[in-house]
Structures are given as structure tokens and as C-alpha cells.
Amino acid sequence: MIGGDAAGMSAASQARRLKGPDELEIVAFERGHFSSFSACGIPYWVGGDVGDRDQLIARTPEEHRARGIDLRMRTEVTEIDVAGGRVRARDVDSGAESWTSYDKLVIGTGARPIRPELPGVDAPGVHGVQTLDDGQALLDTLARTRGRRAVVVGAGYIGVEMAEALINRGYEVTVVNRGREPMSTLDPDMGRMVHEAMQGLGITMVNGAEVTKVLTGDDGRVRAVATEDAEFPADVVVLGIGVRPETALAKAAGLPIGTHGGLLTDLGMRVRGHENIWAGGDCVEVLDLVSGQQRHIPLGTHANKHGQVIGTNAGGGYATFPGVVGTAVSKVCDLEIARTGLREKDALRAGLRFVTVTIESTSRAGYYPGASPMTVKMLAERRTGRLLGVQIVGREGAGKRVDVAAVALTAGMTVERMTALDLGYAPPFSPVWDPVLVAARKAARAVERQA
Amino acid sequence: MIGGDAAGMSAASQARRLKGPDELEIVAFERGHFSSFSACGIPYWVGGDVGDRDQLIARTPEEHRARGIDLRMRTEVTEIDVAGGRVRARDVDSGAESWTSYDKLVIGTGARPIRPELPGVDAPGVHGVQTLDDGQALLDTLARTRGRRAVVVGAGYIGVEMAEALINRGYEVTVVNRGREPMSTLDPDMGRMVHEAMQGLGITMVNGAEVTKVLTGDDGRVRAVATEDAEFPADVVVLGIGVRPETALAKAAGLPIGTHGGLLTDLGMRVRGHENIWAGGDCVEVLDLVSGQQRHIPLGTHANKHGQVIGTNAGGGYATFPGVVGTAVSKVCDLEIARTGLREKDALRAGLRFVTVTIESTSRAGYYPGASPMTVKMLAERRTGRLLGVQIVGREGAGKRVDVAAVALTAGMTVERMTALDLGYAPPFSPVWDPVLVAARKAARAVERQA
């Protein structure tokens, strides 16, 4: 196993479940200090919702070893020799290198954060948030910093979650975002709602602005972030610009890489053309079941599923990962944001014609206390009426409603069929027509008119 | 339209949307005082979560009339003359009767509460909770009653919701329940969890106990409820024993009635064998898509969907109601209870062989604040692995998770396919494996072992 995080260690654990140490020797290499940690939890640790770093560690190296997995920490694989069936690994601390041969190889090298080539970007006080070490460094900076001004660069999932974390820590937060609206995984009209809601939370939103420079003070620490038009004072800067698949090793070994930079696998997560090499997690591309195209979606829940499938197959069983529909959910304070399937531009790119509808509804029966407004946007294919995508922005109870659409997408359901879905109803849980059903009704009528 | 509640008035509204007053005259008869009200909301009005009765009225008679629907309140249909294409209606107050002819007829007569034939059951202080008048009468009793002891008879949805309402009003609540465990719509092992949780809320649960008598005091008012073994002092008694389809009128007219006492319709909600008569809501039986059998499921969300389909068809359009999968969700204080599909005994009755699994998980990532435990039970068919049913008992975030299973059931998905469902994941919303996926994984393994 190359990589001791979600995909690799899930694969290791599942393979171990199927085959005992007498049948299968498992060696895992991890270059970092931690195994099996929840990167998705870092914003909540930084924000103070999670008190202790160790809560984010699902399983320690010792726990893995107790299960018969030879996990070698601080050991970086530097070369894959596919023809020779071996990998070269280097002890990060001593620099010592050695070759280890394999019958079966699992690649779970993850992703690496995009770090823009900006003057000053390496100044103290500028932080990424991909690893537990990153999180600790940021927390150390927050503890040391006297000022209370934070700039978050990027307004995707990491960006908005870090905005919440810094608000919770008492910072004045400015989000500088290249896109027209935050959350470019939504259509701009829904992004606009996130924009307004974030402003309502006291966050300063700067959209359509490219960071050109990080400015430092006399002490060498960050003091501001500059765009072409303005400067934003900052005592701390968080980079939340996203990640790219970490596939340099695989590429050097001649393994197949897709247009998004991720490894290409078959449905059993086997690297294409290689009988005994699997790959999973943030370093692979996945099939988008709605558009039929490959995508790169770094997300812990996929990595865990990949690991489960790989471990089953490498352990002599049979399992597949059929693909994704592109579901994601996030929150900024009490604002919940969710999406699944295709945005308008994805649908256009996939060659689809479609109708879009947007409806307003509530999380509970209108008369029930705590009913909060929610907006649901739905895309359906013309003529067929097949559901193509759903985006939801609302408050409590909005986010996980996207799961209904995720399952309907997986099943290839039409919006007309969705109108009759038997979803749970009681006044504390839903209006008599669940918001997703209200959207489906409107979409079905739009499909009918356009047919 | 016979009946001015959810099914009838939804049908009327939808038909009116498709056909203007010049094309279609719509007359609706309602024997009660209210139109289009939320019976499901009554427990929350009684409990004080909903301040005002009028909040439960979705649309008043005046609002219906303003939309060109001739809604005649306090007017009871006493006979359907199918051959003559007319109905006889009686003004409830004056007793005056007259015939009205129809080209198209919609029956939405609803359900009537089961009121056991018990000595003392009509004593003051004993209440049903089906109508707004019932709710008002109960509230009047609560306002007048000095004692604080309440007995709820029945532990289904109405029973447990009324237990919460009375707790919220400061009553000591005893629930007397004929079944082995509360919530007979769950399997007993899951009902047991509800039982224990309700006791934890301070509710006295008396299971396996049949009420034999309502005892009254010198003032003629209720003073206790008696079972064969014991007496339970009561200042107020609420009957929550369920309902039966109200189909006397339809039966007298020779319309087809099923084994559960409900009208039988085709998929367009047309009464079987009758080209120009539709029926919907609590007075009809519906097709259970999982078992392939007819069921009676009185629930506002179905009634609204039926009305929508009927109104579309009666208005010259085309729509169908394909059936239900038996989803229901409820809560008692912070305990959430949900189910969809078949219980073990339903599956046996339908001739299915199956595996069952039960798992414990949490509503959010374990390290995220507010993560609450939840138990998910899942049934899957042997050999095929098709999902058959899901039951969930937990706290916040448990109930609506059943919707994922409801859609999967509708799509005929296997539990193996469910393990790869792309459900929304972020630490505040779900563990990295959503509880439904954890159950699906365990169920898939059980199917494999039994194959």
C-alpha cells in the first residue's frame, strides 16, 4: 500500500479481514506523521468544534499494526518498478532507501494542495489545511496572533468551511474568490444565495478577484493580501484553493493518467491495463454516472469506498465501485449547501439539453417551529425527463435532503416518477410535499411543456 | 368532490388549474366545519408547538371559492347514484336534501377513527384527535382539568405523538398499548428501543395490555382507565388507536372495496370499473410496491399526491400514482422513529425470504458535536439482495435518513448497489460511511453468506 490514509488503509483493513497474516502479508508506506485521519474534520478542529487533534484519527499506526498490517510511517515511496514488481522506499528521517517487492500493489497517494505561485505565499501566517500538521501550524499561528483579521483565499468547500472556523475563533473574515460567486460547484444563481447568506453572517465576500500578492510586514509575517484592485489586511491567511491528484510517482512508472491528472481504473479499482495494481482515493479519476465522463472528486467518503472495494478484490473477493453522481454537502455556520449531479454547464458540456426549475419551500411543515426556508434547483433532461442534478441552499435540514436526489440520479429516475416518491412525512420533518418533490413537480411540468 | 380535505381539494385545485370555470364546474361537499386542514398537525397544536388552530388550515373555504370552486361546507353526501350520475347531499344544519348531478365524481371521504366499544368511552374527558373539532375539545378539557395525569390508549404514530404533546403540557403520561411493544409498524426489536427511549423520557409504558373499561367519577367525568390487571388514574384520556377507511357511501353505491375496507382504484386513481369516478386519500387502498399487495395507509402526503393525480386526470391531463413503499416518520420529544418497506412479518406474509441486519452508527462524524447514536435495521431479499425494508430509531438526524431507503426501494435497488451510493458527506452531516450505507454493507455480506 502506498499511502496510509483513507483509501490505502481501508483497503489494507478489508484485505486483512478476508485473508489472515499467513495468507497475505500487508506492508503500507506513509510518508507523513499520521495514518487514517479525517482531513474533512480539520476545519472543525481549527474552529474549535473538535477539541483534540487525536479525535480526527480514525486508527493509529499502532492499531493498524495490531491488526497485522506492517505500516511504515515516515517512509516515502520514491519509485514504482512495475516490470520488477517492487517499490523503492526512503526513510524520511534517515534518508535510507530500500526496495520492497510486491505481488499486489495499491496506490493511495492522495492529492496535493494547489499552492499558487505568488510573491509572499510562503510567508509565516499563510496556511494550507490539508494535513493534521497544517492544522496544527494554523492553530499555533492563531494562538500567537494578536490581530483578528483573517483572509481566506478560495470559496469552495474548504474556503467556506474555513470561513466558519475563523468566525468561530472570533476573527473578522474576508473571503477572496476568483469566481463570480462562491461555491463554483453550484450554478451561479445558487452561488449568489450562498454569497448573500455569507454576507449575512458577517463575512466580507470579495468575488471575481484574483490574489496577486501576499504582503508581509517588517517582521516578515503576512500583513495583507493584494488583488489587482485592492489590499485586504490580514493577520492570518488560509489557502483553500483545492487539490490536484498526487500522481507523479504513478506517472513516472508509466501508469495511465486521465485528463484531470488522476489515475485511471476499471470498475474494480484496478489500474487500467495492470492486473495486480489498484488505486483509489484522491489520486484517481472516477466515472460520473450522470454525464458518463471521468472526473476528479477528492472526498473522504469516496476514498473509503474505494479502499473497501480494493481490499475486497485484492483479498480474493469481488466488489466494484460503479461511479459517483457528484454529491457534496457543506455548511457555513447555519447555512447548508448541497449539490448532486450536473450543473448547467456540466450538462451543456455533456451534450445534454435540459430544463431548470427553482423552488422555495421549508424544511418542516410551515406551521411547525423551526421550519426554515430552503431553495431547491433541479435540472431534468428534455424529452426523457431524466433527473440531471439538484442544488440546495437552506438552513437546518436542507443539506442531507440532497441524498434523495443522489439515489434518484443513481437509479436514472425521471422527475415525473420522483413526484410520487414515498418520502417520510410528519410536520416536524417535512411539509406535506417535501421540497424535493415540489421541485420535481415543477420540473415535470417544465419537461412536459418543452417536450 | 365528496370531501373537502387533502385529496378532494387538491384534486379540485389541480383540475381548476387545468380547466377554467367556463370549461369545468367544480362542486365540493364537506360535512365538517373545515376544509384542507392538517390532521397530522393536531398533536403539535395540542402540545403547544403550534399556537393557533388556523395555522393548520392550508386553505379556507373562502380561498377555495375565490379560485372558482363551489365548496359547500356542512353539507353531507348521503347517497351516490352511480347509474344516474348524481349525488344526494344534505345540509347538516337544516336537514334539507337535494340531488346534484355530475359528469365526473371524486371521492375523498377519508377515514374514521376506531373508537373501541368500551364501557365509559363516551365519558367527558375521553378524546379522539382526528379533526380540528376533536383537537379543540381536547384543549378545552386540558384547560379545565386540574389533575395532571393523562392516559394515551394506543402506541402507534398518533399515540406516541400525543404522548409528547401531553408531556409538553406538563402531564404525567401513561401509554396503554395492546401490542408487545410500541410502534407496531416496526419490528418488535426496534419497538423495544422506542419503548425504552419513551420510558427514558418519563413516559410510563404499559404494553401487552388491553383496555377493558373507562372508569368515571361522581361527576361523570373520566377518572381512570382499566385493563384486565390494573387501573391507571386519568384526568384525561386520548384515544390513538388508528382509523379505518370511510367507505360506507361508496360501498352502498356498489363501488369496489378491498380487503382492508378501502376503495380500489387503478394507477390513475380511477375507481376500478368506473370511467368517471376517482377516489383518493384515506378512503382508498394503495399498492405496496415492495410486497405487490394492497394496503391501507392513511397519510396526508399520500392524500395530497392522490389529489394531484386525480385533478390532473379529471382535468383532461395524464398522471399516475404508482404506489407506496410504506415510508413513515415520527418523533416523541427528541426520539426519531422511521420506517419504510417491509417488516419481517410483512416479508414473510409476502412469501419472501430475507436476511436482517441491525447496526449502530451516529448522525454525524463521531468527533463532531451533536453526533447522536442511531440504530438502523435493514431487510434484504435472499439470493437477489434486493432491499426490502429499513427501520431507524435515533435522535436528531435519524428520521429523514429513511428517505434514502425509500428511493432505493422504489428503484428496486440491491443492498450491494446501495453500498456505493454517493450520499452527502461532511462531518457535520454524516460519518464518512452514512449509517444507511453501514447497514447496506452488513446486509450485503449477509446476503452473500446466505446465497
Side-chain angles (χ1 to χ4, degrees), chain A residues 225-347:
Chain A
V225 165
T227 64
E228 208 155 281
D229 302 326
E231 272 184 35
F232 302 96
D235 304 300
V236 60
V237 172
V238 174
L239 302 174
I241 315 183
V243 297
R244 290 219 181 87
E246 178 68 277
T247 48
L249 205 56
K251 202 168 175 182
L255 300 180
I257 305 290
T259 51
H260 304 282
L263 274 155
L264 297 175
T265 74
D266 67 12
L267 294 177
M269 301 311 296
R270 205 179 293 257
V271 172
R272 289 190 196 165
H274 293 266
E275 191 61 27
N276 63 338
I277 306 179
W278 288 264
D282 291 1
C283 68
V284 303
E285 297 187 3
V286 290
L287 176 63
D288 182 321
L289 296 167
V290 188
S291 70
Q293 300 177 353
Q294 294 292 121
R295 292 178 63 185
H296 178 239
I297 305 183
L299 203 56
T301 187
H302 298 330
N304 273 278
K305 289 187 185 106
H306 295 166
Q308 184 77 17
V309 167
I310 292 169
T312 300
N313 291 328
Y318 170 67
T320 62
F321 181 80
V324 303
V325 294
T327 311
V329 58
S330 187
K331 79 181 193 72
V332 197
C333 303
D334 69 344
L335 181 73
E336 299 189 359
I337 307 160
R339 53 96 68 219
T340 190
L342 308 183
R343 295 164 300 181
E344 294 192 23
K345 67 178 177 186
D346 303 319

Side-chain angles (χ1 to χ4, degrees), chain B residues 220-292:
Chain B
R221 297 184 58 80
V222 63
R223 68 166 177 83
V225 165
T227 65
E228 209 155 278
D229 303 325
E231 270 184 37
F232 302 95
D235 303 300
V236 59
V237 172
V238 173
L239 303 174
I241 315 183
V243 298
R244 291 220 180 86
E246 178 67 277
T247 48
L249 205 56
K251 201 169 176 181
L255 299 180
I257 305 292
T259 51
H260 303 281
L263 275 155
L264 297 175
T265 73
D266 66 14
L267 294 176
M269 301 310 295
R270 207 179 292 258
V271 172
R272 289 191 196 165
H274 294 266
E275 192 59 29
N276 63 339
I277 305 180
W278 289 264
D282 291 0
C283 68
V284 304
E285 296 186 5
V286 291
L287 176 63
D288 182 320
L289 295 168
V290 189
S291 70

